[in-house]
């Protein structure tokens, strides 16, 4: 018996007697004999806590994490510092172990957190209403598509090629069911091609999607892009990096209807991709078509202020097949980390952190620009991430460069060729407050050395060929 | 003096502290965050980002010191009821103990600070863990292939129905309908609609199982899939499952298993063996990922061979030591395969909720095969014990079990009963269930004039979390009770006595229950008012 | 209805849960721990350890499952008041915010799983950290040498007096007495006795400082040491400290600084510069090691050159890069030096409470020089503000400040006051203090018939922890209030208003305070009964 | 301003005005000008949280911990697994941040923990009363000496040479003040020499001290040693390894008056030596001379069961110079870990863990016995630790062997020569549940290799000399 169950021999006898059966097997008598697994599952034996810890520590040891190397990887998730206070709060049983607040009288903690989260997201995005979280970034964008479809029943989405590749793909996958056409608009010098954008949008378009900053780190002219779409009655969906919004204009001020995004950079760990949270904010006219939980304010029997889950007629457990989404369990704990992180930064900290990233990123961009065999991919303004091209003949060369850098304990960034064939030699470099000037200087040296080595090797091969 | 008037006259400390959001605290200029010094040459912002792209008005985030921030949220946390404090028999949610070991291993930097775009060669531990978890889930489900990508159960459902669509498309079939029983969880029909299918409800028979005749009537070649959970949301195992599978398969549809109730049958019976094509798991239920106040969760799916080609990508692949060309000293090598031409694509970013995988994998390692079987056996034992205990306390006349009557001696099946150990007639059980059971508060409402909601609210004053209420919809004034395997007999006894006590109290004075709760941080909340005039954010 | 009767009639949820120890829970055979399998050939125990040396009756430890264990202690924790939940102005204890960063870094395996007997060559990080901390403490104290070994303040005191003894012994002097002011903390005289000296009390003058004449009278060549804290336990800085030092040094005695009040003067004034020979620090106070419900603490000492030879061993030594013979790539090398012939020896095992060093070192790194000065400035500002606020609320007539009257215009010192900014006479401050202050409840007791104890207990109902009460002993019905620098003005205001409110309430009905507290997990406890018939363990 | 203080400009002005001064400096006017530090402290500037984290992580990286190598070090502190649940409980603000429970009505959590701790320690030691913790092991033994001195006013201590060297030294240091003579009794084949023991004890002896198991891992015949002392009216103090007490007879059953010990192995981390806790249990006749906090049971105004600090007339804050000890802040949080750990093990787990250690230790002892150049130092029965001698010519040789093993990621144990010159080539090897058979097999191989290498090198040098 594991330490998680408590039935002793004495308990078992007493309980079976109370039930009125002779054995536990009898309790499973409703399972037809033919469907009973006549054997033990083919799994290893159980282990003690210290053994399980050792096993999972060994597995962790086979990964190279941002704790082990100087990491300039971003591309949707960023190695920001998670304040220790957040671990403490998320570790509190009171936040960690309850479920969705179906009984508001004993869930005021979680409900108020949701209310505070919604407030912070509204402030960040400049929009009227926010829900209490969805799964993560890319599926949040797809959820915005579904809201648009419910809103205007149109059959076509237009999405910028600058939107995160995973989000573009999630939109295709999840809208396939309700039969949406999805057209992509290419980039020009790193940002959405305005002419192609205008050309792609007509009155059949249900919604348009843009990333801010886009996948190449470039800042899009969201206001201009929105204007075109609004002229055709299409909803404007912006997928934004929340930590850039201390610096960049609020989407709500730029004609955006729905702003979604990946919340990981707000106090959540990298966790190899999840769990994190997605945020989903919109203009008030869309509130009754929003997906997910929403906390609202009310009063109790004695007139005390309190919070409850509200507008539930949108949701699956009430509206079933007519629900505006099927989401049930979302990301409450990760959203808690998000709102605590935003409060930890505070009004000024958010801006200061943004400026720190802008300055260091500019420094890094210039520095790498001077490295042999490293060329900028675009000239657009950026906040925290930028794209360069390495003169190493494509993705394989870039991957070998990554291996060389890894050997020196440094990860220079994301190989763009994995998702952007047109930038086969591309490298996407991200900066956070954890990457000091010294780290950036080292990046220039190590990357420069790796590129040089790769080029001379290819030259050698070329010569010998 | 009655509890109520006392409550009116006397506020608990928590009730006295009125709700104040963090936005109402602090003062301009306060901060918890200290920014690292800008260690690079500072350039004018205008040179870097044109003013027109920059923010006009900064977000009005709170301005608080770290101590203020900590106190706010620590005190807020105390306004939650939680599983580490008391019994939480929320039906269909499997609120089992969350071992802290899982938080520790998930927090190891090698897992927690691993970037999702780290090159597979430098994320071998993570991929090996995911591979091992996939194999374990495959064995538990009795289906060969697994994708860990879905973010939660309903996300898994959506994946499952989209897989079904892809499967039919590939065979050039256009099907339009998906069947769901009227006992189904709301996410099932909601998912069907999002996947572009029409929902067709199937009825429930007298035993709480699928109405076979109704199913036969509705199962035609327009049907793409039947979504089922077994045991059902009534906590009953559908004995006709084999026949149901045959009917569904005969019309070429897929059979989908909603795995929310898997905690009843681990190591006892496998969905794959029952004939299901697609299964979703709720790692946050069966495999004890903490519920976090409403997530995170994780909803991996297991599928049969015919559905495999359509799985979301990437897929984890393992290259055996032999095959590895010098890659790793005799070690198997793991990689992510994106080259999946028939794949439905991605449901989300990256590889799924890895942090949840670490926890659930640790859980499986701790329990092993025997431990997992134990889990289901004790989960079912605890549910049946609680049901019987309630019977012994005479509660079941007012809270009647929905379905689940056990055939008595004579009607075959139970002959062995005659050889019963402590063989006293009245010890013979009347009602049975799997890991959870449903009671109807209809008689209570009739006779005591209190509703299931009132009972639930009064339970709060007894320091336990109420069961799921008003679900499943097919049962009037429903209470869905799932104790889980990690509760002690003493806890189950106390809970049963609380129910009995509340009914006794209500017989004397129903107002007490109707006015409940009294001792909670706030008293009964007006949900209607909240929906009428929605206030969804703090006004600044 | 009065609060009291309501309280009687209505129990809070926590009050309803009667105290049950873990020994009263569980059942035979239950367990949280699963032992690793015995993976070696098992031999009969008798062959390994003769039966007569083995245990007859096994200890009757609890038998509980992990969920039971977690619930027991999580629920127990809620029966504590803590600093993360509210104001904790416990005088002389410096209950400042405990940053969670410190728990994180102290928990890094490189620190937390480092064995104390690890060879110094493989513990360089730990020794470097201890060296850096020693240097920082030395700079803060203004004394050249530091030992981190003592486990807490009183352990540091004992070290200090034993060092004094060793110092005098080395000079062939037999001294018999140690002077302590009557305001001293109890650990001072207790320490003196344990170190084999006789305690001689020195009186307090009208300003709350050391009575110089009394000191002169008692300072003779039998005196080994004077133990002092400055600011004193009255929260006042002794302006005569230089003269006091001279008197003590003139008779060849050492001057010991009890560092419990260091939070008042960091970066403002240094004990070494005041003439102290030996200083102890309370890392758990000034340097924010969490108090843990009564420890762990850490009590490093800083000493002057003449005391250095006697320091406890081992001593951390640093070898500069230059000197290192290839030991480490241009890095300084750290080692533990046990070869200290004149050392008093060891006070405890190993190198002291390293886990506390990590936290306090992190704190010093976070704050830096300016931040530490800030700490003392704000600590003193907050204390003076609270004192003034109480004055404005008219509280100080019933709770009179002990000593600490500020000389008014004319009596020199304060001329600059005439250039006061907002120059309204009544804004001129009457009372002053350093980081804490003492009020006497004597008038309150006389006029309102409630004691300081009653006031303290009633404060519990206001959700704050009471100040230190009945200490220092020289003040009748004393309240020693230390707000610390990490509290906000709002919190200080609320606290002042609570005091005023309680006094107002007591004027109407003193019974309310005398019956307090009402809302706590238990109500006022009978300490006398506990001492009369001690029950010190659960009976099994 | 750091994020820990909250005084804004506006706050400052308002507060100074309320106080009635113009500046903060004025508040320090009572410090004579000459004594004011006219400069900033000579310390580095403050850092942000992420920078401090990085710095302390780098320092941690310069240590080789039991997480980094296979560690057979013991000698007073042991690398036992600390269950994750303990971190969670110790991290709860409610346990972590309050101070000594001076206000029992809001400290029932901490007080009940103390009461439970006292109960568990009494059960473990077989004695009547326990306090709520003292600093740690060695000073606990010294505190027992002070209790003896208060009890019988005699002037001499007799201590076995098998007691932990740090405890022997702490006793000397801390009893020097009150002028105690301390005589040591040597070991014979690893345990206290019974004849020398008898010879050393007479009616002038205040207390005798024995370690169980002793520093060499050997099990002492405590009953026999106590008998001699009791005949002369001396108090018997035993310093015991708490985790061995699931296997070994309870000191209380062996004529011991006071049982003390180091509590680290009970759910506390190694922490390079502290903080941990010391336990202190005694026969009831000594209760009013015990040091430290003691929790006792009582009732509240309504008759509810509750707990308070009791018998405080022993303590410094009441009795001042007449107190039985000067201890104030002790180790409450570490003692909490201790009692939770004991409950986690439970009645059976304590015994099972003890048996696991006994079996693995026996296996390791035999295995090393067969290694060339490794000889047992004694033949006494042991529980979890044993002493061997390496044929490498003394401490320096042993230290070089340790270096060789370290290079292979293994730490074979404690070099006895550091504190026992007579065992200059000695090595003390400890086993915990975290050292599997595979680890032990590796120990034999790695240590064997290292000893062989060291011997051949010395042979070479010898030859060339
Ligand atoms: C029967 C059933 N199906 C599906 C779900 C949906 O799972 P999730 O909340 O993880 O999306 C739930 C959980 O609420 C459930 O109880
Ligand atoms: C003035 C004073 N001196 C000494 C001490 C003793 O310090 P510790 O409790 O760390 O032994 C204290 C703390 O209680 C104190 O307030």
């Amino acid at each position: 018996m594991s330490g998680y169950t408590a039935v002793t021999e004495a308990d078992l006898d007493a309980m079976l007697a109370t039930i009125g059966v002779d054995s536990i097997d009898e309790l499973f008598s409703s399972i037809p004999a033919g469907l009973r697994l006549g054997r033990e599952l083919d799994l290893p034996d159980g282990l003690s806590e210290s053994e399980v810890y050792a096993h999972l520590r060994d597995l962790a040891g086979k990964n190279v994490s941002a704790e082990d190397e100087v990491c300039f990887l971003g591309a949707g998730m960023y190695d920001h510092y998670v304040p220790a206070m957040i671990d403490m709060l998320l570790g509190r049983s009171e936040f960690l172990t309850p479920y969705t607040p179906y009984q508001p009288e004993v869930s005021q903690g979680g409900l108020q957190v949701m209310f505070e989260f919604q407030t912070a997201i509204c402030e960040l995005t400049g929009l009227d209403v926010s829900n209490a979280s969805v799964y993560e970034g890319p599926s949040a964008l797809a959820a915005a598509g579904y809201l648009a479809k419910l809103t205007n029943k149109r059959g076509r989405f237009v999405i910028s090629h600058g939107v995160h590749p995973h989000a573009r793909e999630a939109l295709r996958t999840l809208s396939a069911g309700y039969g949406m056409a999805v057209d992509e608009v290419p980039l020009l010098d790193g940002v959405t091609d305005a002419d192609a954008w205008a050309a792609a949008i007509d009155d059949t378009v249900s919604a348009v999607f843009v990333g801010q900053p886009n996948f190449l780190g470039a800042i899009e002219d969201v206001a201009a892009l929105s204007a075109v779409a609004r002229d055709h009655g299409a909803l404007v969906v912006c997928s934004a990096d929340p930590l850039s919004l201390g610096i960049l204009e609020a989407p709500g001020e730029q004609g955006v209807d729905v702003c979604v995004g990946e919340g990981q950079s707000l106090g959540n760990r990298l966790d190899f991709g999840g769990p994190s949270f997605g945020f989903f904010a919109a203009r008030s006219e869309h509130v009754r078509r929003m997906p997910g939980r929403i906390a609202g304010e009310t009063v109790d029997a004695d007139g005390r202020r309190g919070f409850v889950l509200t507008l539930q007629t949108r949701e699956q457990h009430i509206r079933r097949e007519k629900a505006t989404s099927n989401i049930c369990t979302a990301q409450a704990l990760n959203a808690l980390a998000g709102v605590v992180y935003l409060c930890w930064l505070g009004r000024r900290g958010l801006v200061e952190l943004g400026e720190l990233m802008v300055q260091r990123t500019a420094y890094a961009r210039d520095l790498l620009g001077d490295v042999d065999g490293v060329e900028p991919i675009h000239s657009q303004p950026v906040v925290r991430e930028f794209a360069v091209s390495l003169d190493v003949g494509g993705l394989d060369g870039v991957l070998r460069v990554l291996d060389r850098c890894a050997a020196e304990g440094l990860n220079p960034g994301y190989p763009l060729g994995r998702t952007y064939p047109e930038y086969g030699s591309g490298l996407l470099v991200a900066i956070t407050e954890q990457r000091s000037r010294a780290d950036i200087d080292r990046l220039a040296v190590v990357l420069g050395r790796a590129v040089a080595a790769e080029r001379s090797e290819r030259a050698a091969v070329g010569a010998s060929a | 003096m009655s509890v109520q008037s006392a409550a009116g006259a006397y506020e608990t400390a928590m009730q006295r502290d009125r709700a104040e959001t963090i936005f109402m605290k602090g003062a301009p200029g306060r901060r918890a965050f200290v920014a690292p010094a800008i260690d690079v040459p500072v350039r004018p912002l205008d040179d870097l980002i044109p003013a027109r792209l920059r923010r006009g008005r900064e977000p009005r985030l709170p301005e608080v010191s770290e101590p203020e921030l900590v106190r706010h949220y620590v005190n807020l946390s105390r306004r939650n009821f939680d599983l580490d404090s008391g019994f939480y028999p929320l039906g269909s949610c499997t609120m089992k103990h969350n071992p802290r070991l899982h938080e520790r291993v998930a927090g190891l930097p090698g897992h927690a600070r691993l970037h999702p775009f780290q090159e597979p060669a430098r994320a071998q531990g993570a991929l090996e863990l995911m591979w091992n978890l996939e194999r374990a889930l495959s064995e538990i489900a009795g289906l060969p292939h697994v994708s860990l990508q879905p973010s939660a159960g309903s996300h898994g459902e959506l994946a499952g129905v989209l897989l079904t669509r892809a499967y039919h498309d590939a065979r050039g079939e256009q099907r339009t309908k998906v069947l769901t029983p009227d006992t189904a969880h709301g996410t099932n029909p909601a998912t069907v609609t999002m996947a572009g299918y029409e929902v067709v409800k199937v009825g429930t028979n007298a035993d709480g199982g699928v109405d076979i005749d109704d199913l036969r009537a509705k199962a035609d070649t327009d049907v793409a899939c039947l979504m089922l959970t077994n045991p059902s949301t009534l906590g009953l195992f559908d004995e006709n499952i084999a026949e149901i599978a045959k009917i569904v398969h005969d019309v070429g549809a897929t059979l989908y298993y909603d795995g929310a109730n898997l905690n009843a049958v681990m190591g006892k019976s496998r969905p794959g063996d029952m004939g299901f094509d697609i299964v979703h798991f709720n790692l946050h239920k069966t495999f004890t990922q903490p519920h976090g106040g409403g997530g995170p969760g994780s909803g991996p799916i297991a599928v049969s061979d015919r559905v495999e080609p359509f799985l979301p990508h990437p897929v984890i692949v393992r290259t055996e030591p032999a095959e590895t060309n010098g890659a790793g000293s005799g070690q198997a090598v793991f990689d992510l395969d994106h080259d999946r031409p028939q794949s439905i694509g991605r449901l989300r970013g990256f590889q799924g909720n890895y942090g949840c995988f670490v926890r659930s994998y640790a859980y499986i390692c701790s329990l092993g095969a025997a431990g997992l079987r134990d889990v289901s056996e004790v989960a079912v034992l605890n549910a049946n014990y609680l049901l019987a205990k309630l019977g012994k306390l005479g509660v079941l006349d007012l809270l009647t079990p929905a379905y689940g009557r056990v055939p008595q001696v004579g009607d075959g099946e139970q002959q062995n009963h005659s050889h019963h150990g402590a063989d006293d007639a009245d010890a013979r059980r009347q009602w049975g269930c799997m890991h959870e059971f449903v009671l109807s508060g209809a008689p209570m409402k009739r006779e005591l004039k209190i509703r299931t909601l009132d009972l639930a609210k009064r339970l709060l004053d007894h320091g336990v979390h109420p069961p799921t209420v008003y679900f499943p919809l097919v049962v009037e004034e429903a209470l869905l009770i799932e104790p889980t395997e990690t509760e002690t007999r003493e806890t189950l006894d106390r809970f049963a006595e609380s129910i009995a006590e509340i009914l006794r109290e209500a017989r004397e004075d129903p107002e007490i229950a109707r006015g409940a709760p009294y001792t909670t941080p706030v008293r009964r909340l007006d949900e209607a008012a909240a929906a009428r005039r929605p206030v969804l954010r703090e006004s600044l």
Side-chain angles (χ1 to χ4, degrees), chain B residues 203-531:
Chain B
T204 297
N205 67 24
D207 305 336
V210 171
D211 180 331
I212 298 288
D213 304 331
D214 192 37
L215 174 62
R216 272 219 189 68
K218 291 167 175 164
D220 57 32
T221 54
D222 290 344
V223 172
C225 173
L226 167 63
M227 301 181 80
L228 215 59
T229 174
N230 194 22
S232 70
T233 59
L234 294 165
L236 301 170
F237 192 94
D238 198 319
E239 312 197 1
N240 304 320
I241 185 60
E243 185 175 357
I244 293 167
K246 184 168 187 325
I247 295 169
V248 170
H249 289 150
D250 285 350
V251 296
T254 62
L255 187 58
Y256 182 91
Y257 185 88
D258 175 337
N261 294 338
L262 193 69
N263 210 50
V265 294
M266 280 192 295
K268 305 298 287 186
S269 182
R270 311 194 304 171
D273 301 340
M274 300 176 204
F276 285 91
D277 300 281
I278 308 170
V279 171
H280 89 246
F281 303 82
N282 301 74
L283 295 189
H284 45 296
K285 296 176 181 180
T286 320
F287 299 94
T288 195
Q289 161 71 32
H291 283 84
S298 180
I301 50 174
V303 302
S304 59
D305 289 327
R306 60 176 179 161
V307 178
E308 185 273 342
F310 313 102
L311 281 177
H313 75 90
V315 165
I316 299 163
V317 291
R318 176 175 203 249
T319 315
E320 293 313 318
E323 315 157 33
T324 66
N325 22 41
S329 55
Q331 294 227 339
V333 174
F334 301 87
D335 201 356
L336 293 171
D337 180 6
H338 290 270
D339 182 15
R340 305 273 305 173
Q342 288 186 276
S343 169
I344 58 171
R346 284 188 161 279
L347 300 154
R348 54 161 289 162
F350 307 113
Q351 289 77 244
N353 285 341
Y354 178 77
C356 304
F357 306 156
V358 177
R359 291 172 174 85
S360 293
Y361 178 64
Y363 181 64
I364 291 170
C365 291
S366 294
L367 292 181
L372 289 173
R373 182 189 21 80
D374 229 60
V375 162
S376 290
E377 291 186 348
V378 177
V380 171
L381 174 71
N382 277 357
N384 279 279
Y385 173 76
L386 180 55
L387 181 56
K389 182 79 182 183
L390 289 166
K392 291 229 184 305
L393 294 176
V395 164
L396 300 186
D397 314 334
L398 290 166
L399 297 170
T400 49
Y403 312 93
R405 177 172 295 284
V406 176
Q408 295 306 300
V409 182
D411 29 316
E413 249 290 6
Q414 313 277 320
Q415 292 90 337
N416 57 345
H417 240 315
S418 47
H419 315 300
H420 192 291
D423 206 355
D424 47 300
D426 66 350
R428 187 74 32 79
R429 73 171 174 160
Q430 305 297 317
W431 301 101
C433 63
M434 294 297 283
H435 67 305
E436 62 187 346
F437 58 92
V438 182
L439 302 179
S440 168
M444 171 184 74
K445 185 175 171 191
R446 249 190 339 271
E447 296 186 24
L448 303 187
K449 307 274 173 297
I450 69 168
R451 307 186 51 219
T452 287
L453 183 71
D454 304 317
L455 173 65
K457 297 305 183 190
R458 188 57 178 144
L459 273 170
L460 297 175
D461 289 321
H462 285 251
V464 298
H465 193 286
T468 295
V469 292
Y470 300 100
F471 176 80
L473 308 179
V474 295
V475 176
E476 196 188 342
E477 293 289 319
L479 273 164
L480 177 55
I481 304 174
E482 180 182 13
T484 86
E485 73 280 5
T486 61
E487 297 296 332
T488 61
R489 175 159 61 118
E490 303 89 291
T491 301
L492 303 180
D493 289 340
R494 263 195 305 277
F495 176 74
E497 280 145 21
S498 292
I499 299 262
E501 160 61 23
I502 292 169
L503 296 179
R504 217 177 302 124
E505 176 187 76
R507 183 163 274 121
E508 286 161 22
D509 178 1
E511 279 312 313
I512 297 179
R514 290 204 207 100
Y518 303 94
T519 57
T520 46
V522 293
R523 296 193 45 217
R524 199 178 294 198
L525 289 157
D526 186 343
E527 307 202 18

Side-chain angles (χ1 to χ4, degrees), chain A residues 35 37 39-40 42 64 67 93 96 98 105-106 116 123 169 247 272 298 300 352 359 366 418, chain B residues 31 43 55 60 72-73 81 84 113-114 118-119 139 184 268-269 292-293 313 373 457 523 526:
Chain A
L35 295 182
L37 185 68
R39 57 170 177 89
E40 205 75 278
D42 180 15
V64 180
E67 188 96 352
S93 302
L96 184 71
E105 294 83 2
V106 289
E116 293 175 345
E123 282 297 314
E169 214 179 335
I247 296 293
F272 199 50
T298 186
D300 80 351
E352 290 172 5
Q359 295 291 349
D366 291 353
R418 282 206 186 277
Chain B
R31 54 164 63 250
R43 293 162 54 180
R55 187 129 195 160
R60 292 164 299 175
H72 177 76
Y73 285 105
F81 179 90
D84 282 352
R113 284 191 73 187
L114 181 60
Q118 177 61 291
E119 290 299 310
E139 166 68 5
K268 305 298 287 186
S269 182
H313 75 90
R373 182 189 21 80
K457 297 305 183 190
R523 296 193 45 217
D526 186 343

Side-chain angles (χ1 to χ4, degrees), chain A residues 293-307:
Chain A
R293 314 289 184 187
I294 299 179
E297 185 174 332
T298 186
V299 293
D300 80 351
D302 299 333
R304 291 181 198 88
R305 185 188 197 192
F307 305 93

Side-chain angles (χ1 to χ4, degrees), chain A residues 2 4-5 11 15 19-20 22 25 28 30 35-37 39-42 44 46-47 55-56 59 62-67 69 74-75 77 79 91-99 103 105-110 112 115-116 118-119 123-124 135-136 166 169-170 173 177 221 245 247-249 269-275 296-302 304-305 316 320-321 326 330-334 344 346-347 352 359-360 366 381 403 411 418 437, chain B residues 11 15 18 20-22 31 33 39 43 48 52-55 58 60 62 72-73 76-77 79-84 88 93 99-100 106 109-115 117-119 122-123 125-126 128 139 154 165 184 186-187 191 193-195 239 241 264 268-270 273 291-296 313 344 346 348-350 353-355 361 365-369 373 382 417 420-421 427 429 457 485-486 489 523-526 531 535-538:
Chain A
S2 86
Y4 306 149
T5 48
D11 288 327
M15 292 167 85
I19 297 167
D22 299 328
D25 272 351
F28 289 85
S30 57
L35 295 182
R36 294 188 208 166
L37 185 68
R39 57 170 177 89
E40 205 75 278
L41 288 167
D42 180 15
L47 297 171
H55 174 47
L56 276 102
L59 287 173
K62 295 183 185 177
N63 300 323
V64 180
S65 80
E67 188 96 352
E69 64 182 359
M77 289 204 170
D79 180 40
R92 281 185 67 79
S93 302
E94 295 86 339
F95 284 132
L96 184 71
T97 67
Y99 206 0
Q103 296 289 341
E105 294 83 2
V106 289
S107 310
Q108 286 300 292
Q112 186 175 321
F115 189 79
E116 293 175 345
Q118 291 164 195
T119 306
E123 282 297 314
L124 213 52
Y135 300 134
E136 43 82 71
H166 292 176
E169 214 179 335
T173 302
D221 187 344
L245 291 180
I247 296 293
L248 298 180
E249 182 55 286
R269 316 190 296 208
L270 288 164
D271 277 338
F272 199 50
E297 185 174 332
T298 186
V299 293
D300 80 351
D302 299 333
R304 291 181 198 88
R305 185 188 197 192
Q316 45 77 25
R320 304 183 64 85
E321 61 270 23
N326 71 334
Q331 309 290 135
L333 194 69
N334 308 91
W344 181 73
R347 185 173 183 156
E352 290 172 5
Q359 295 291 349
R360 281 189 181 164
D366 291 353
D403 292 341
N411 191 324
R418 282 206 186 277
R437 176 187 188 152
Chain B
E11 278 191 312
Q15 288 170 350
R18 295 297 202 268
E20 265 199 343
T21 67
I22 190 73
R31 54 164 63 250
F33 170 70
D39 49 5
R43 293 162 54 180
L48 299 174
R52 65 183 185 78
L53 296 175
R54 295 215 311 278
R55 187 129 195 160
E58 72 192 15
R60 292 164 299 175
H72 177 76
Y73 285 105
L76 208 47
S77 74
R79 297 168 83 87
N80 275 353
F81 179 90
D82 72 288
L83 182 60
D84 282 352
Y88 209 131
C93 299
R100 287 293 174 156
H111 296 302
R113 284 191 73 187
L114 181 60
H115 194 287
F117 273 137
Q118 177 61 291
E119 290 299 310
R122 291 180 279 279
E128 181 178 349
E139 166 68 5
S154 53
R165 176 179 287 281
T187 52
T191 297
T193 305
M194 285 184 82
E239 312 197 1
I241 185 60
K268 305 298 287 186
S269 182
R270 311 194 304 171
D273 301 340
H291 283 84
H313 75 90
I344 58 171
R346 284 188 161 279
R348 54 161 289 162
F350 307 113
N353 285 341
Y354 178 77
Y361 178 64
C365 291
S366 294
L367 292 181
R373 182 189 21 80
N382 277 357
H417 240 315
H420 192 291
R429 73 171 174 160
K457 297 305 183 190
E485 73 280 5
T486 61
R489 175 159 61 118
R523 296 193 45 217
R524 199 178 294 198
L525 289 157
D526 186 343
V535 177
L536 309 180
R537 57 159 294 172
E538 187 69 279

